[in-house]
Amino acid sequence: MAEISTEAAKAAQDLRVLFSRLRRRLLDSAATEDLNASQTSVLARLVKDGPSSASVLAGAERVRPQSMATTLTALEKHGLIERAPDPGDGRRQVITLTAAGRKQGHGARASREEWLARSIQERYTAAERATIIEAIALLDRVVQQ
């Protein structure tokens, strides 16, 4: 196996930091006065991935199960999720979105995309935007199998 170049290591570190900061900004842009960034993130995950369990959500969000329980309780109080017994394992609950949760989740996604598109439009020239599109295509190869 070839040794990792200094440039590749620097690019990996810079991308990780950048994506982490971008994720936080996207969540903040979709957070409302009713929902915080963690709640918005769980809502978005349920929109994207569908019904889930609290333990799967906690793992995906990289939080303790107790923290996820608090987040889910808040979402339930807002009428955005429902819990039902898992038909395959009665000890677990399946978390699903309500109609209001789907609506808010899709609205949050649109809000994040609009914020990002507006930021790119306002901060970059047409040539720079073309470069960003090219860079995204190159980076896409990292996740292709």
Side-chain angles (χ1 to χ4, degrees):
M1 180 161 214
E3 190 171 321
I4 297 173
S5 70
T6 304
E7 295 86 2
K10 170 107 172 83
Q13 179 183 12
D14 290 352
L15 274 172
R16 183 188 53 76
V17 170
L18 173 65
F19 286 148
S20 179
R21 290 174 51 208
L22 180 59
R23 182 177 188 274
R24 276 194 302 275
R25 287 295 304 266
L26 286 168
L27 288 173
D28 288 346
S29 74
T32 66
E33 53 200 47
D34 294 335
L35 300 180
N36 64 31
S38 297
Q39 294 160 356
T40 301
S41 180
V42 169
L43 203 62
R45 187 169 299 281
L46 287 168
V47 166
K48 180 180 170 252
D49 298 340
S52 189
S53 69
S55 60
V56 169
L57 288 168
E61 293 290 314
R62 299 177 187 220
V63 298
R64 296 186 338 253
Q66 298 85 345
S67 298
M68 182 54 62
T70 301
T71 297
L72 293 174
T73 297
L75 291 171
E76 192 171 34
K77 284 181 182 176
H78 287 308
L80 302 174
I81 63 163
E82 294 175 328
R83 304 178 202 223
D86 184 334
D89 182 353
R91 298 169 294 174
R92 293 179 8 154
Q93 292 184 327
V94 175
I95 313 298
T96 57
L97 291 169
T98 62
R102 276 188 299 283
K103 182 178 178 184
Q104 180 138 357
H106 286 292
R109 176 179 283 181
S111 175
R112 289 189 304 270
E113 288 178 10
E114 181 181 344
W115 172 83
L116 187 54
R118 189 172 310 282
S119 295
I120 291 169
Q121 178 69 32
E122 292 172 355
R123 290 180 172 91
Y124 300 100
T125 65
E128 289 171 327
R129 290 191 298 271
T131 300
I132 290 169
I133 291 168
E134 289 174 20
I136 290 168
L138 290 172
L139 289 169
D140 190 50
R141 292 194 322 222
V142 171
V143 296
Q144 292 178 359
Q145 302 277 335

Short mmCIF file of all heavy atoms in Angstrom, two decimals, residues 120 123-139:
data_model
loop_
_atom_site.label_atom_id
_atom_site.label_comp_id
_atom_site.label_asym_id
_atom_site.label_seq_id
_atom_site.Cartn_x
_atom_site.Cartn_y
_atom_site.Cartn_z
N ILE A 120 -23.63 30.76 -2.22
CA ILE A 120 -22.74 30.53 -3.37
C ILE A 120 -22.92 31.62 -4.42
O ILE A 120 -21.95 32.15 -4.97
CB ILE A 120 -22.98 29.12 -3.95
CG1 ILE A 120 -22.48 28.06 -2.96
CG2 ILE A 120 -22.30 28.96 -5.31
CD1 ILE A 120 -22.90 26.64 -3.31
N ARG A 123 -21.31 35.00 -3.00
CA ARG A 123 -19.90 35.05 -2.61
C ARG A 123 -18.93 34.68 -3.72
O ARG A 123 -17.73 34.88 -3.58
CB ARG A 123 -19.67 34.12 -1.41
CG ARG A 123 -20.31 34.64 -0.14
CD ARG A 123 -20.05 33.69 1.01
NE ARG A 123 -20.47 34.27 2.28
CZ ARG A 123 -21.68 34.11 2.81
NH1 ARG A 123 -22.59 33.41 2.17
NH2 ARG A 123 -21.98 34.66 3.97
N TYR A 124 -19.43 34.10 -4.81
CA TYR A 124 -18.54 33.61 -5.86
C TYR A 124 -18.93 34.16 -7.23
O TYR A 124 -20.10 34.33 -7.52
CB TYR A 124 -18.55 32.07 -5.90
CG TYR A 124 -18.09 31.47 -4.59
CD1 TYR A 124 -19.01 30.98 -3.68
CD2 TYR A 124 -16.74 31.40 -4.27
CE1 TYR A 124 -18.60 30.44 -2.47
CE2 TYR A 124 -16.32 30.87 -3.07
CZ TYR A 124 -17.26 30.38 -2.17
OH TYR A 124 -16.84 29.87 -0.98
N THR A 125 -17.93 34.35 -8.04
CA THR A 125 -18.16 34.75 -9.42
C THR A 125 -18.66 33.54 -10.21
O THR A 125 -18.56 32.40 -9.73
CB THR A 125 -16.87 35.26 -10.08
OG1 THR A 125 -15.95 34.16 -10.17
CG2 THR A 125 -16.25 36.42 -9.29
N ALA A 126 -19.11 33.77 -11.44
CA ALA A 126 -19.56 32.67 -12.28
C ALA A 126 -18.42 31.68 -12.52
O ALA A 126 -18.64 30.46 -12.50
CB ALA A 126 -20.09 33.20 -13.61
N ALA A 127 -17.22 32.18 -12.74
CA ALA A 127 -16.07 31.30 -12.97
C ALA A 127 -15.76 30.47 -11.71
O ALA A 127 -15.46 29.27 -11.81
CB ALA A 127 -14.85 32.12 -13.37
N GLU A 128 -15.85 31.10 -10.55
CA GLU A 128 -15.61 30.37 -9.30
C GLU A 128 -16.69 29.31 -9.06
O GLU A 128 -16.40 28.20 -8.60
CB GLU A 128 -15.55 31.33 -8.12
CG GLU A 128 -14.29 32.19 -8.11
CD GLU A 128 -14.33 33.30 -7.06
OE1 GLU A 128 -15.43 33.84 -6.79
OE2 GLU A 128 -13.26 33.63 -6.52
N ARG A 129 -17.94 29.64 -9.39
CA ARG A 129 -19.02 28.66 -9.25
C ARG A 129 -18.78 27.46 -10.16
O ARG A 129 -19.02 26.31 -9.78
CB ARG A 129 -20.38 29.30 -9.51
CG ARG A 129 -20.78 30.28 -8.41
CD ARG A 129 -22.23 30.73 -8.51
NE ARG A 129 -22.57 31.43 -9.73
CZ ARG A 129 -22.47 32.76 -9.90
NH1 ARG A 129 -22.05 33.53 -8.92
NH2 ARG A 129 -22.82 33.31 -11.05
N ALA A 130 -18.27 27.71 -11.37
CA ALA A 130 -17.94 26.61 -12.28
C ALA A 130 -16.84 25.74 -11.68
O ALA A 130 -16.89 24.51 -11.78
CB ALA A 130 -17.53 27.16 -13.64
N THR A 131 -15.86 26.37 -11.05
CA THR A 131 -14.77 25.62 -10.39
C THR A 131 -15.32 24.77 -9.25
O THR A 131 -14.91 23.62 -9.07
CB THR A 131 -13.68 26.59 -9.88
OG1 THR A 131 -13.16 27.33 -10.99
CG2 THR A 131 -12.57 25.86 -9.17
N ILE A 132 -16.25 25.33 -8.49
CA ILE A 132 -16.86 24.58 -7.39
C ILE A 132 -17.58 23.35 -7.94
O ILE A 132 -17.46 22.24 -7.39
CB ILE A 132 -17.82 25.48 -6.58
CG1 ILE A 132 -17.02 26.52 -5.80
CG2 ILE A 132 -18.71 24.65 -5.64
CD1 ILE A 132 -17.87 27.62 -5.17
N ILE A 133 -18.31 23.51 -9.02
CA ILE A 133 -19.03 22.38 -9.63
C ILE A 133 -18.04 21.31 -10.08
O ILE A 133 -18.26 20.11 -9.88
CB ILE A 133 -19.92 22.88 -10.79
CG1 ILE A 133 -21.08 23.70 -10.21
CG2 ILE A 133 -20.43 21.71 -11.63
CD1 ILE A 133 -21.87 24.47 -11.24
N GLU A 134 -16.92 21.72 -10.66
CA GLU A 134 -15.89 20.77 -11.08
C GLU A 134 -15.28 20.06 -9.88
O GLU A 134 -15.06 18.83 -9.92
CB GLU A 134 -14.79 21.49 -11.87
CG GLU A 134 -15.23 21.95 -13.25
CD GLU A 134 -14.15 22.78 -13.93
OE1 GLU A 134 -12.96 22.70 -13.55
OE2 GLU A 134 -14.50 23.53 -14.87
N ALA A 135 -15.02 20.80 -8.81
CA ALA A 135 -14.44 20.21 -7.61
C ALA A 135 -15.40 19.20 -6.98
O ALA A 135 -14.98 18.13 -6.51
CB ALA A 135 -14.07 21.30 -6.60
N ILE A 136 -16.67 19.51 -6.99
CA ILE A 136 -17.66 18.58 -6.44
C ILE A 136 -17.66 17.28 -7.24
O ILE A 136 -17.72 16.19 -6.66
CB ILE A 136 -19.06 19.24 -6.40
CG1 ILE A 136 -19.09 20.34 -5.35
CG2 ILE A 136 -20.15 18.20 -6.12
CD1 ILE A 136 -20.31 21.24 -5.42
N ALA A 137 -17.58 17.39 -8.56
CA ALA A 137 -17.54 16.18 -9.40
C ALA A 137 -16.31 15.35 -9.07
O ALA A 137 -16.37 14.11 -9.01
CB ALA A 137 -17.56 16.57 -10.88
N LEU A 138 -15.18 16.00 -8.85
CA LEU A 138 -13.96 15.27 -8.48
C LEU A 138 -14.12 14.61 -7.12
O LEU A 138 -13.75 13.44 -6.93
CB LEU A 138 -12.76 16.22 -8.48
CG LEU A 138 -12.28 16.73 -9.83
CD1 LEU A 138 -11.22 17.81 -9.64
CD2 LEU A 138 -11.75 15.58 -10.67
N LEU A 139 -14.66 15.34 -6.16
CA LEU A 139 -14.82 14.79 -4.80
C LEU A 139 -15.85 13.66 -4.76
O LEU A 139 -15.77 12.79 -3.90
CB LEU A 139 -15.22 15.91 -3.83
CG LEU A 139 -14.12 16.91 -3.50
CD1 LEU A 139 -14.68 18.10 -2.75
CD2 LEU A 139 -13.01 16.21 -2.71
#
